Amino acid sequence: MAPKHHPTPLSGGDRKALTKELGRARAMTTILAAQAAEARAKGEALIRQADKLLCESWNERMWADGGPIDPSPMVDQAINGGFASLEIECPRCKTKRDVDLAALRHPPTTFVHDLASRLRCSKCAKAGRRPSATLSQLMSRPRLVDPET
């Protein structure tokens, strides 16, 4: 957008007044922009905290009820809340593994409980079976896997 044109007044007093008002307006835009950035940062921090609390609540309900609980947080809410991985367990071989939510090829608006039917055990796939995974919990960081010796 082009800057607004202010015709220059003919008298000296009016020119000085216009210059002063333009300076005030420019200073005010800087102040308002800083306040907007501060408010946005506070808002993003509150959203991040809300997403974290939602994921913790879902984990507690999963532990208490023992099944995929609907509604669950969305994948992008889990990642924003600091829960970047999902622990799953194969119902057949009881192998647990962590799934990186950011690496999944699903829309970020997919609910976590909807992933249960889409995730499969890779160990059982080699044996020709593909059972659906059981969701355990959202995790803030993946577990360190000890190298097999």
Side-chain angles (χ1 to χ4, degrees):
M1 188 165 132
K4 188 172 182 179
H5 175 69
H6 299 284
T8 306
L10 297 176
S11 69
D14 289 341
R15 280 194 307 269
K16 289 178 186 176
L18 177 63
T19 304
K20 187 176 179 181
E21 288 300 316
L22 287 174
R24 282 186 188 158
R26 289 185 182 112
M28 195 60 170
T29 58
T30 305
I31 292 169
L32 292 174
Q35 289 176 349
E38 182 181 330
R40 182 174 304 280
K42 285 181 184 176
E44 289 172 354
L46 287 173
I47 290 171
R48 206 170 13 263
Q49 182 182 8
D51 289 342
K52 179 181 179 185
L53 292 172
L54 178 65
C55 293
E56 288 173 356
S57 169
W58 188 76
N59 278 345
E60 291 298 322
R61 285 186 298 155
M62 284 286 292
W63 182 82
D65 297 340
I69 305 298
D70 181 18
S72 65
M74 290 185 279
V75 172
D76 61 345
Q77 288 176 325
I79 293 170
N80 188 39
F83 291 84
S85 63
L86 174 67
E87 181 182 307
I88 61 172
E89 181 179 358
C90 177
R92 182 176 173 271
C93 66
K94 304 297 183 202
T95 302
K96 290 187 177 187
R97 79 170 192 172
D98 300 332
V99 177
D100 183 14
L101 292 175
L104 292 177
R105 289 188 283 164
H106 297 289
T109 55
T110 302
F111 289 99
V112 172
H113 73 271
D114 288 338
L115 297 175
S117 61
R118 300 175 189 175
L119 298 173
R120 307 281 185 212
C121 176
S122 57
K123 186 176 178 182
C124 290
K126 294 175 184 171
R129 294 177 174 77
R130 304 268 305 170
S132 296
T134 303
L135 304 181
S136 296
Q137 66 178 346
L138 287 167
M139 295 177 23
S140 57
R141 58 190 118 106
R143 279 182 296 196
L144 297 174
V145 180
D146 295 330
E148 296 179 26
T149 54

